[in-house]
Amino acid sequence: HVQLVESGGGSVQAGGSLTLSCTASGYSVSSACMGWFRQAPGKEREGIVSLNRAGVSTYRTDSVKGRFAISRDNANNTVYLQINGLKPEDTAMYYCAARDRETCGATWYALSRWAYWGQGTQVTVS
């Protein structure tokens, strides 16, 4: 049974930073493609960044590339999302996702490509 559990969200002031964690059980984060998504109120869930087995990360847009960073700790079976320079428009529920293959693909941001999802962690920026 695969389970992804996110943590680290919270309420922060604009300009602050957060590190979100996604800890997996029943699944090895080092062996497959992992990703972070977010869903703002009234909007569709969107991809932020993916990380393949080889350690190559792909950001959805240039606007997040400079402020968001994905990393992986294989020993703790955890994937992180570091967010710096938080803005009010970053307010959203943040989700971790895992694919059932080691590559992410060019259209990794399509929700249907992901096999497993966490329950999300809320980030609120004021």
Side-chain angles (χ1 to χ4, degrees), residues 29-113:
V29 301
S30 65
S31 65
C33 172
M34 300 293 298
W36 282 98
F37 292 73
R38 67 181 178 182
Q39 187 167 16
K43 295 188 177 181
E44 294 184 350
R45 191 172 301 188
E46 62 176 3
I48 301 171
V49 61
S50 65
L51 180 69
N52 67 13
R53 179 180 181 179
V56 177
S57 58
T58 304
Y59 293 84
R60 183 71 177 98
T61 65
D62 289 339
S63 64
V64 301
K65 188 175 183 178
R67 299 190 297 117
F68 291 65
I70 190 171
S71 61
R72 181 172 59 202
D73 181 347
N74 295 338
N76 290 310
N77 211 27
T78 298
V79 175
Y80 302 97
L81 182 67
Q82 173 73 36
I83 313 173
N84 298 318
L86 279 158
K87 304 177 181 180
E89 52 263 42
D90 293 321
T91 294
M93 185 72 79
Y94 284 71
Y95 297 91
C96 171
R99 292 200 69 187
D100 55 2
R101 57 187 64 189
E102 61 186 49
T103 58
C104 297
T107 56
W108 60 268
Y109 46 86
L111 303 184
S112 60
R113 288 185 168 269

